[in-house]
Amino acid sequence: MMDGFSIDGFSILVIGLLLPILQIISFIGLLNRRQIYFKRRATLKTAYLTVFPAMVLWLTYGVFSLILLNLWTVGLRPNWLILLWAGLTVVNRVVLPITIGLALLPPYPPRVWLSSIYRVSAIGMAVIACYMTQFVFPMAW
């Protein structure tokens, strides 16, 4: 009997592909909106603070795709990828709560609707990256 709340691998793959695109589009929209709110000295602290943990998430996505590419390519030795993936396994355990905490800060400026989309995509990317490092290709220390 299937559980009504379980997510299959294909759904995680689709969500994992859509969230980075959504994050890039909403971040560009936030930067364009900054010019409108610049006269009122509005800052985009929530977007700027989540950029640093997002770099780890983007690195996780990149290393995951390189590992998948190396599964189909014969003759390459991806030793450095495995070491980097093992490090990302530990780092993503820390980045997930940091990203959630930073993304739940109130948006600046308060009426920018794209900031909520950016925050949801940042949290989603953190969850997917943590899922990839913990369950898809797990590394035990």
Side-chain angles (χ1 to χ4, degrees), residues 43-66:
T43 60
L44 299 171
K45 291 179 186 176
T46 55
Y48 293 145
L49 287 176
T50 56
V51 165
F52 297 114
M55 286 186 221
V56 174
L57 305 176
W58 283 97
L59 181 65
T60 304
Y61 271 66
V63 171
F64 182 75
S65 15
L66 284 175

Side-chain angles (χ1 to χ4, degrees), residues 9-130:
F10 180 73
S11 300
I12 290 176
L13 179 69
V14 169
I15 291 170
L17 291 175
L18 289 178
L19 287 175
I21 295 167
L22 186 64
Q23 188 176 26
I24 289 172
I25 291 170
S26 61
F27 189 69
I28 291 171
L30 281 171
L31 292 178
N32 287 338
R33 281 264 177 125
R34 176 166 160 70
Q35 295 172 355
I36 295 170
Y37 291 107
F38 188 70
K39 295 174 185 170
R40 291 193 274 170
R41 295 184 177 265
T43 60
L44 299 171
K45 291 179 186 176
T46 55
Y48 293 145
L49 287 176
T50 56
V51 165
F52 297 114
M55 286 186 221
V56 174
L57 305 176
W58 283 97
L59 181 65
T60 304
Y61 271 66
V63 171
F64 182 75
S65 15
L66 284 175
I67 288 174
L68 287 179
L69 266 159
N70 281 324
L71 288 176
W72 288 294
T73 308
V74 180
L76 294 176
R77 294 185 163 227
N79 297 337
W80 61 276
L81 278 176
I82 301 304
L83 286 175
L84 188 59
W85 189 256
L88 285 172
T89 302
V90 175
V91 170
N92 276 324
R93 289 181 190 164
V94 176
V95 168
L96 178 64
I98 289 173
T99 302
I100 291 172
L102 288 175
L104 293 179
L105 288 173
Y108 294 98
R111 293 187 181 156
V112 179
W113 65 273
L114 285 173
S115 64
S116 60
I117 293 174
Y118 180 80
R119 292 184 295 164
V120 166
S121 64
I123 291 172
M125 277 187 66
V127 169
I128 296 295
C130 193

